[in-house]
Amino acid sequence: MNKQELIEIRNDFPILAEKVYNKDLIYFDNAATTQKPRCVVEKIEQSYYHYNANIHRGAHFLSIKATEAHEAARTSVAEFLGATKREEIIFTRGTTEAINLVATSFGEAFCKPGDEIIVSVLEHHSNIVPWQMLCERKGLKLRVISINDRGELDLEVYKTLLNEKTRIVSVAHVSNVLGTINPVKEIIRLAHEKDIPVLIDGAQSVPHIHVNVTELDADFYVFSAHKIYGPTGIGALYGKEKWLNAIPPYQGGGEMIKSVTFEKTTYNELPFKFEAGTPDYIGSTAFAEALRYVQQIGMDKIAAYEHELLSYGTERLMEIEGMRIIGTAREKSSVISFLVGNIHPYDIGMLLDKLGIAVRTGFHCAQPLIDSLGIPGTVRASFAFYNTKEEIDAFITALKRVVGMLS
Ligand code: PMP
């Protein structure tokens, strides 16, 4: 990414020019949510102003236009993920709802008491709790893959956990706390040797690295639009057709049915079987616009530039006395969690905020991981392609000042 490209990209994101407490905003909380380019916000406005009508059932001009835009968005998501069939894309409210859908529907169809589900210690709560709820409902057991000192999954432990009782494996592609990029292709291959399906939580991978669900051979792959520069409240579940056909609907209502009588209801075909109620057809078109925007820059270019930011940020952080970086995996995405001496992460975050710098502190919705590391939480700086080395320099200067005040 050269200087001119960066200037143009930053101009696409009006919020980056905001001041907070009279200071230039430095937004390093991209793992929580990303900022939105003008084209995504404008898409929402255009959709409401020019073709807002309920989709699929209306036989009038506006409804047909809105339906076409929504279904074209589904095709965009399928192409972005490298899915071969657009019917394999289900729109959900986001990653969390997508995992709940699979845990509920897959659990209903395929799990019985005594069965086991495998997750890992570095999962976000949304890839733990839905499975725990399933375990409670059906009398299953949750098995957990551990990590090594760098924050990498221990594949030897994983191999010992896979057995004839395992019904599904569900792991993150990238950790939202440690930044670790997990070897999901290998994880899937090992599970498939035993005919076990795998769900990959792609909330932190899809925005930062090239993902192709067909190459990975993932059975389910989920992500949220808001983490990839799209709107809040929408996301996607990719599921192999064979699995989506084999599991029951998640919610009942309009759209997901073929015919309804009081005696019997028959369900609609894919993908509508899993989309009860009026879908977020405004969100879906803005979601597709966000995908178009990042594709225009290029995912490989984004990944390479963010890797530069990661290396530069890590190197500069190490200048600070007492710096402890939490998560030093060999394959890492642009997330840096850290602690300095005995200073509480919350104090660092609060003072950085007053200097205009947005980072996140605490458990990052991954309490079991934080507990297993025996730490009170972390400060987390997470970069996007609109961030710059100059921002990292300003962050380091501010952090040195904050650490000086708190030491
Ligand atoms: N998984 C991971 C790895 C995440 O980082 C997040 C969001 N922090 C989620 C799941 C949940 O995503 P959402 O809140 O958009 O459903």
Side-chain angles (χ1 to χ4, degrees):
M1 206 83 75
N2 65 38
K3 272 225 148 45
Q4 189 53 33
E5 283 172 317
L6 261 174
I7 291 170
E8 284 167 22
I9 282 171
R10 288 181 67 84
N11 279 338
D12 290 337
F13 293 83
I15 205 168
L16 298 178
E18 288 286 304
K19 300 264 181 207
V20 293
Y21 313 112
N22 265 335
K23 308 264 183 331
D24 289 337
L25 167 70
I26 295 181
Y27 187 77
F28 283 171
D29 195 16
N30 294 287
T33 199
T34 52
Q35 301 304 342
K36 316 305 167 198
R38 222 178 278 276
C39 61
V40 166
V41 179
E42 284 170 359
K43 195 72 180 178
I44 295 170
E45 185 181 279
Q46 280 165 13
S47 304
Y48 275 124
Y49 285 169
H50 300 294
Y51 41 91
N52 176 44
N54 207 331
I55 61 168
H56 291 143
R57 44 201 154 190
H60 57 81
F61 180 83
L62 286 188
S63 176
I64 293 165
K65 286 276 281 183
T67 304
E68 282 170 1
H70 180 68
E71 291 306 324
R74 193 187 308 278
T75 305
S76 300
V77 176
E79 286 172 0
F80 188 80
L81 285 182
T84 49
K85 295 181 183 139
R86 57 187 301 289
E87 297 77 20
E88 294 179 319
I89 302 297
I90 313 294
F91 284 117
T92 64
R93 284 198 300 117
T95 305
T96 303
E97 192 183 47
I99 297 173
N100 275 278
L101 186 162
V102 177
T104 304
S105 296
F106 181 90
E108 184 62 32
F110 290 105
C111 299
K112 57 178 190 319
D115 286 349
E116 297 179 356
I117 311 280
I118 299 180
V119 296
S120 88
V121 73
L122 51 67
E123 301 307 317
H124 187 278
H125 294 161
S126 63
N127 197 26
I128 300 173
V129 184
W131 301 111
Q132 265 177 340
M133 290 164 73
L134 170 64
C135 288
E136 272 179 32
R137 255 192 334 269
K138 289 226 153 183
L140 322 182
K141 202 163 171 199
L142 202 61
R143 309 298 303 269
V144 184
I145 312 167
S146 50
I147 50 175
N148 64 19
D149 289 347
R150 291 171 174 269
E152 297 162 328
L153 291 187
D154 189 331
L155 290 192
E156 293 310 311
V157 170
Y158 172 56
K159 286 179 200 164
T160 65
L161 293 178
L162 282 169
N163 67 50
E164 68 289 349
K165 289 190 209 150
T166 313
R167 286 289 83 83
I168 190 165
V169 175
S170 190
V171 293
H173 198 159
V174 170
S175 159
N176 66 311
V177 180
L178 308 175
T180 313
I181 303 177
N182 291 321
V184 291
K185 194 166 180 174
E186 179 65 359
I187 288 171
I188 292 168
R189 194 188 64 75
L190 289 165
H192 284 180
E193 277 181 357
K194 296 192 155 64
D195 289 330
I196 299 163
V198 181
L199 182 149
I200 302 294
D201 170 356
Q204 298 293 344
S205 48
V206 168
H208 304 290
I209 55 178
H210 171 77
V211 169
N212 184 303
V213 292
T214 306
E215 278 168 21
L216 291 176
D217 202 18
D219 298 280
F220 300 101
Y221 200 101
V222 302
F223 73 109
S224 302
H226 73 96
K227 296 204 196 268
I228 183 163
Y229 316 98
T232 52
I234 189 163
L237 158 67
Y238 158 80
K240 279 185 184 165
E241 194 178 26
K242 70 165 183 182
W243 290 117
L244 294 178
N245 276 327
I247 64 178
Y250 176 51
Q251 293 180 326
E255 302 264 350
M256 54 74 74
I257 47 82
K258 208 168 241 161
S259 92
V260 179
T261 67
F262 283 112
E263 286 68 43
K264 185 165 176 58
T265 290
T266 53
Y267 303 131
N268 208 338
E269 61 215 17
L270 293 177
F272 310 112
K273 171 179 156 187
F274 291 103
E275 294 181 356
T278 300
D280 185 3
Y281 55 87
I282 303 286
S284 63
T285 49
F287 183 4
E289 182 61 23
L291 298 182
R292 189 200 60 74
Y293 181 84
V294 292
Q295 278 173 305
Q296 180 193 300
I297 299 170
M299 285 314 296
D300 289 338
K301 190 164 177 175
I302 287 173
Y305 176 64
E306 290 179 351
H307 197 267
E308 258 181 62
L309 293 179
L310 171 72
S311 304
Y312 185 68
T314 306
E315 195 184 298
R316 294 253 21 223
L317 277 170
M318 292 313 290
E319 288 171 14
I320 293 169
E321 212 179 294
M323 174 59 56
R324 183 173 158 208
I325 292 187
I326 313 294
T328 52
R330 281 157 283 201
E331 296 288 328
K332 228 185 127 167
S333 147
S334 56
V335 171
I336 312 181
S337 265
F338 63 88
L339 289 168
V340 188
N342 291 325
I343 307 172
H344 198 279
Y346 179 74
D347 294 335
I348 295 181
M350 208 178 53
L351 290 181
L352 283 175
D353 171 56
K354 297 292 176 286
L355 299 171
I357 299 167
V359 292
R360 183 148 293 228
T361 62
F363 289 155
H364 317 294
C365 295
Q367 197 183 340
L369 170 64
I370 297 294
D371 287 349
S372 79
L373 295 169
I375 53 177
T378 75
V379 184
R380 181 185 71 185
S382 51
F383 309 128
F385 59 76
Y386 44 59
N387 291 127
T388 64
K389 289 186 183 167
E390 290 73 24
E391 285 182 314
I392 292 176
D393 290 337
F395 162 62
I396 297 294
T397 305
L399 185 58
K400 284 180 178 168
R401 201 172 138 197
V402 165
V403 169
M405 285 160 73
L406 294 169
S407 292

